[in-house]
């Protein structure tokens, strides 16, 4: 009898204090009203600015959708019934407006499917049509929208295979598409629960180093291998816009597909065996083959082996050909890169990479176009005599941009930019592009001038700009600089033929809208999206600047509730939200890249909701971690972390708006890691909120975030940075939230579970909330509402009403 009573008592105890059987909750109405809004659509614009396409979607998924059957294989998450990613975001409506005829009239699209779930949106080469997929309960269909008639038409039934992406690709005549289909004959999927084990799973190593990050959703056994192969298999069909199908290529694990600019050739990559249990599918063996547009094999470019091991370092790449891309200004020339240092960043060489070109009919040897001093990054093509290539090197944050003559590789290239890519003040901007006769985007060149659009960050604020670069003298001329007061203007495109900019303008309480701006000053609005967040449109917003103890300039965005009385200066509870970033120099780390005129947008994970609950919010707080020269940023991570926090708190304390005894700190992912460290190594905060973090760095022994040293090279760094190792020092209450299906490298759910168990064992005040079906970012509306309820309840108890508790 005594044992039964003790057992019953234990059940009650653990139901009250260990676990809670809690249904999904919703936050207070003030927060709920900011969630239950209809968001303006995503906007697509054709190159000639004749049409604007409005794509609408629900802001959040339903937990029912996340609960659909899902297979996690080789880094992918797949719905095996529909053959598309299980976490794809879908559009549920489309509308069109004609920029030329009438901007006041937005037309409904005719022929929308019932309960649309649209994705994989792709313009036709002539930009008169848009192809897309529609996902039904049975599978994925192909649909095409004709812009002139505003009519959407279904071309195929639910048989497409979108598991590996690149599911639809237009032929250059805009009359047909190359489409991936589920093979007609295919083996059934065998679910893990249906298997009876025939033996243990065994992994071996032959002494070769394979230092990989902690990838998630990897293959685990032979059944996983079989299922991956089945789900990756597709047949390629040529489908006309009238719906006629013709087999183009038999079944294979087709991955990426791209047409040559003139449409006469198609580059297709396929995945091969053996598969791996250590790395995702994109590091499995693969082949790259060029075919004619009629599917005849022309050239086998490369056979890439399994990539389980690479040299040490973030800049390590595999040996051999890589980065296969068509040269966009030529009819059919393929370009690729090869490492000159065997892919090993620790080798001392003059040049790291070499860029090659191979012309149709691909029977000659490739020719060298350029050698780069850093690792190749990207190419921008213009014509036979003008092209631009950029490289980068992570270790010193250097980026070089080369201008060269691709028809005369012996002529030395010219470095037109050599800079620290984290230095936003010196950013020259991005080159303006235009569509050429092949429908591909190349550098826009007029009268020997190129054009650059830049963000325009500076010590005095943000002033987006348009520059003209003369390619014969390399002198720059500023054509336009935004000086619009009280608003943020983003330059999106430029047409030098009519001196017209396509821009987006917003303010803290005005939702971003699109405009045409003539360089003479005339401004014409073309969209009229209203602010969906009316209840916070009048909150106070300002960018504050301050210094860290070592003199480093820092900044943050401070928000105060609507109607805050500045004369009385009531001291409010405050939420500080941040994310640490690593730098190699103090100059870049101190730059101010916050614009007070940016629209105030409370995204799902934002702290801005608590402005409606009487809190001050310090958002986007600068948390730089600097390691100059040979010193790595993480060598004194904790010291700089605490110093960043103290500088921000000292600043708000001096302003007089905040009760410094009632400050919470919050963050997501690496921001959660920051929160746990701050609560362990400082006494500045009343409580913390840590979402989807990693807390034990020894569980990510081969590097994390920007740390490329492994655990055995820097054990003290891993130890010092791990909040798990210092759980006994945590005194402020901490709320841990994590998605049960987190797929982010290093932040697997075990991190939060083990950290909570340590805190519990040490008697800390902690709460662990595991959100069912959620990944690293939370998608279901039920999950997001519950997360907000948890955060609000935590803040009300341990921050706002802290004095009452004490």
């Amino acid at each position: 009898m005594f044992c039964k009573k003790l057992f019953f008592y234990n059940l009650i105890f653990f139901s009250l204090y260990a676990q809670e059987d809690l249904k999904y909750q919703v936050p207070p109405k003030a927060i709920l009203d900011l969630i239950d809004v209809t968001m303006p659509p995503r906007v697509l614009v054709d190159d000639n600015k004749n049409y604007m396409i409005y794509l609408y979607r629900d802001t959040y998924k339903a937990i029912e959708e996340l609960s659909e059957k899902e297979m996690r294989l080789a880094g992918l998450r797949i719905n095996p019934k529909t053959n598309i990613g299980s976490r794809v975001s879908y559009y549920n409506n489309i509308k069109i407006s004609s920029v030329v005829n009438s901007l006041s009239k937005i037309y409904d699209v005719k022929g929308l499917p019932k309960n649309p779930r649209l994705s994989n949106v792709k313009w036709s080469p002539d930009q008169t049509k848009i192809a897309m997929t529609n996902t039904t309960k049975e599978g994925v269909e192909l649909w095409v929208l004709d812009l002139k008639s505003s009519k959407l038409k279904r071309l195929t039934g639910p048989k497409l295979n979108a598991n590996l992406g690149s599911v639809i690709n237009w032929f250059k005549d805009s009359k047909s598409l190359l489409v991936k289909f589920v093979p007609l004959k295919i083996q059934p999927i065998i679910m893990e629960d249906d298997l009876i084990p025939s033996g243990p799973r065994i992994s071996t190593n032959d002494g070769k180093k394979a230092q990989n990050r902690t990838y998630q959703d990897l293959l685990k056994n032979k059944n996983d291998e079989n299922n991956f192969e089945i789900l990756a298999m597709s047949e390629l069909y040529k489908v006309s816009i009238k719906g006629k199908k013709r087999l183009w290529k038999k079944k294979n694990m087709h991955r990426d597909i791209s047409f040559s600019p003139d449409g006469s050739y198609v580059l297709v990559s396929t995945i091969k065996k053996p598969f791996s249990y250590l790395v995702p599918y994109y590091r499995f063996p693969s082949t790259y083959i060029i075919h004619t547009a009629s599917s005849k094999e022309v050239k086998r470019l490369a056979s890439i082996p399994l990539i389980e091991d690479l040299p040490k370092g973030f800049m390590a790449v595999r040996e051999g050909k890589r980065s296969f891309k068509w040269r966009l200004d030529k009819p059919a020339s393929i370009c690729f890169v090869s490492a000159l240092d065997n892919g090993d960043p620790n080798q001392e060489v003059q040049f790291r990479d070499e860029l090659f070109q191979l012309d149709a009919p691909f029977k000659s040897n490739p020719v060298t176009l350029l050698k780069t001093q850093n690792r190749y990054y990207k190419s921008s093509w213009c014509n036979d005599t003008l092209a631009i290539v950029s490289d980068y090197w992570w270790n010193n944050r250097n980026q070089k941009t080369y201008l060269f003559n691709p028809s005369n590789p012996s002529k030395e290239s010219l470095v037109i930019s050599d800079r620290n890519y984290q230095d936003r003040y010196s950013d020259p901007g991005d080159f303006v592009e235009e569509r050429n006769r092949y429908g591909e985007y190349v550098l826009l060149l007029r009268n020997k001038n190129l054009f650059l659009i830049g963000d325009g960050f500076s010590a005095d604020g943000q002033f987006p700009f348009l520059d003209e670069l003369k390619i014969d003298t390399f002198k720059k001329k500023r054509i336009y600089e935004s000086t619009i007061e009280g608003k943020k203007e983003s330059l999106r495109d430029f047409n030098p033929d009519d001196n017209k900019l396509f821009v987006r303008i917003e303010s803290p309480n005005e939702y971003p809208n699109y405009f045409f701006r003539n360089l003479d000053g005339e401004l014409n609005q073309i969209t009229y999206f209203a602010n969906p967040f009316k209840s916070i449109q009048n909150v106070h917003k300002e960018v504050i600047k301050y210094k860290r103890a070592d003199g480093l300039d820092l900044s943050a965005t401070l928000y105060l509730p609507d109607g805050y009385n500045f004369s009385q200066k009531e001291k409010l509870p405050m939420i500080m939200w941040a994310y640490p970033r690593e730098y190699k120099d103090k100059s870049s780390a101190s730059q101010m890249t916050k614009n007070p005129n940016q629209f105030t947008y409370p995204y799902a994970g934002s702290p801005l909701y608590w402005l409606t609950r009487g809190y001050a919010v310090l958002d986007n707080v600068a948390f730089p971690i600097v390691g100059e020269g040979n010193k790595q940023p993480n060598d004194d991570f904790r010291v700089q972390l605490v110093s960043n926090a103290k500088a921000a708190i000292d600043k708000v304390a001096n302003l007089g708006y905040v009760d410094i005894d009632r400050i919470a700190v919050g963050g997501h992912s690496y921001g959660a890691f920051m929160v746990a460290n701050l609560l362990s190594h400082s006494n500045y905060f009343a409580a913390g909120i840590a979402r989807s973090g990693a807390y034990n760095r020894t569980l990510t022994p081969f590097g994390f975030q920007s740390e490329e040293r492994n655990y055995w090279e820097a054990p003290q760094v891993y130890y010092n940075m791990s909040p798990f190792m210092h759980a006994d020092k945590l005194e402020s209450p901490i709320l841990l939230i994590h998605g049960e299906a987190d797929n982010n490298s290093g932040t697997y759910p075990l991190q939060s579970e083990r950290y909570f168990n340590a805190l519990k064992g040490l008697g800390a005040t902690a709460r662990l909330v595991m959100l069912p079906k959620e990944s690293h970012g939370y998608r279901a509306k039920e999950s997001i509402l519950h997360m907000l309820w948890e955060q609000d309840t935590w803040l009300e108890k341990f921050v706002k009403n802290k004095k009452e508790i004490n």
Side-chain angles (χ1 to χ4, degrees), residues 26 57 61 102 189 206 228 236 297 308-309 349 395 426 432 445 505 508 631 633 641 676-677 688 721 734 772 795 798:
V26 297
R57 67 180 173 199
K61 288 179 175 288
S102 172
I189 296 293
D206 60 3
F228 174 79
L236 301 183
E297 184 174 323
E308 280 191 338
D309 57 298
V349 294
N395 302 72
S426 70
V432 179
L445 179 66
I505 298 177
K631 190 174 183 180
L641 203 69
N677 266 300
M721 291 183 67
I734 187 169
L795 291 168
F798 293 110

Side-chain angles (χ1 to χ4, degrees), residues 223-462:
N223 188 60
D224 278 358
E225 291 190 55
N226 293 333
N227 286 339
F228 174 79
E229 185 174 9
I230 292 167
L231 291 167
M233 281 287 179
S234 64
E235 294 174 333
L236 301 183
Y237 279 82
K238 183 177 182 179
V239 182
S240 75
I241 56 174
K242 294 183 179 180
K244 293 183 179 180
K245 289 171 53 181
R246 178 177 67 80
L247 182 65
W248 194 87
K249 211 64 172 175
K250 293 180 181 179
K251 73 175 181 178
N252 208 329
M253 288 182 283
H254 302 294
R255 187 183 166 195
D256 296 325
I257 299 170
S258 63
F259 280 82
S260 64
D262 69 354
S264 57
Y265 297 95
V266 187
L267 176 62
V268 180
S269 66
T270 55
I271 294 173
K272 299 296 181 184
K273 293 182 177 180
F275 300 149
S276 171
Y277 297 0
L278 294 179
V279 294
Y281 75 97
Y282 51 80
R283 289 174 63 173
F284 290 177
S286 59
T287 61
Y288 288 79
I289 300 175
I290 297 176
H291 306 76
T292 64
S294 60
S295 80
K296 180 182 178 181
E297 184 174 323
V298 175
K299 175 72 175 181
R300 184 176 290 260
L301 280 177
S303 294
I304 312 300
L306 175 65
I307 312 166
E308 280 191 338
D309 57 298
L310 287 172
K312 182 177 173 292
F314 287 170
M315 299 310 300
V317 295
R318 61 173 173 80
E319 294 186 71
K321 303 171 184 176
R322 69 180 202 278
S323 300
F324 299 97
K325 301 283 184 182
W326 294 104
R327 182 172 160 182
L328 301 181
D329 64 322
K330 303 288 282 185
S333 296
I334 199 77
C335 293
F336 60 87
V337 177
S338 185
L340 297 171
D341 57 4
N342 299 318
D344 186 354
N346 297 303
Q347 287 193 16
E348 295 294 332
V349 294
Q350 183 180 3
F351 297 103
R352 293 288 176 183
D353 279 340
E354 187 170 7
L355 177 64
F356 293 90
Q357 178 176 309
L358 180 62
D359 298 327
F362 315 108
K363 294 180 179 179
S364 59
N365 292 323
V367 297
T368 296
L369 294 184
L370 180 73
K371 294 179 180 179
T372 60
Q373 297 177 44
N374 297 321
R375 196 65 77 205
Y376 171 85
Y377 177 46
K378 65 178 180 179
S379 300
S380 298
W381 304 101
C382 187
N383 55 39
D384 286 339
T385 61
L386 178 62
I388 289 173
V389 160
S390 295
D391 65 17
Y392 78 108
W393 199 248
W394 180 86
N395 302 72
N396 59 6
R397 312 304 199 263
N398 179 251
Q399 183 179 63
K400 292 180 175 64
T401 301
Y402 308 80
L403 186 146
F404 69 104
N405 183 343
S407 296
N408 186 8
S410 62
K411 185 178 179 181
E412 187 176 358
S413 61
L414 179 69
V415 177
I416 61 174
S417 176
D418 187 351
R419 55 183 293 272
N420 179 339
Y421 61 75
Q422 287 187 316
D423 179 4
R424 301 295 299 277
Y425 291 178
S426 70
D427 191 342
D430 297 317
F431 285 98
V432 179
E433 296 180 328
E434 66 176 345
R435 277 163 42 92
N436 62 9
R437 62 192 178 104
Y438 303 120
E440 305 288 353
Y441 286 94
V442 297
L443 295 169
L444 189 154
L445 179 66
R446 293 290 188 277
N447 302 319
K448 296 186 177 180
N449 293 323
L450 296 173
F451 302 89
L452 295 119
I453 287 177
D455 290 330
F457 287 109
S458 72
D460 298 321
Q462 185 180 8

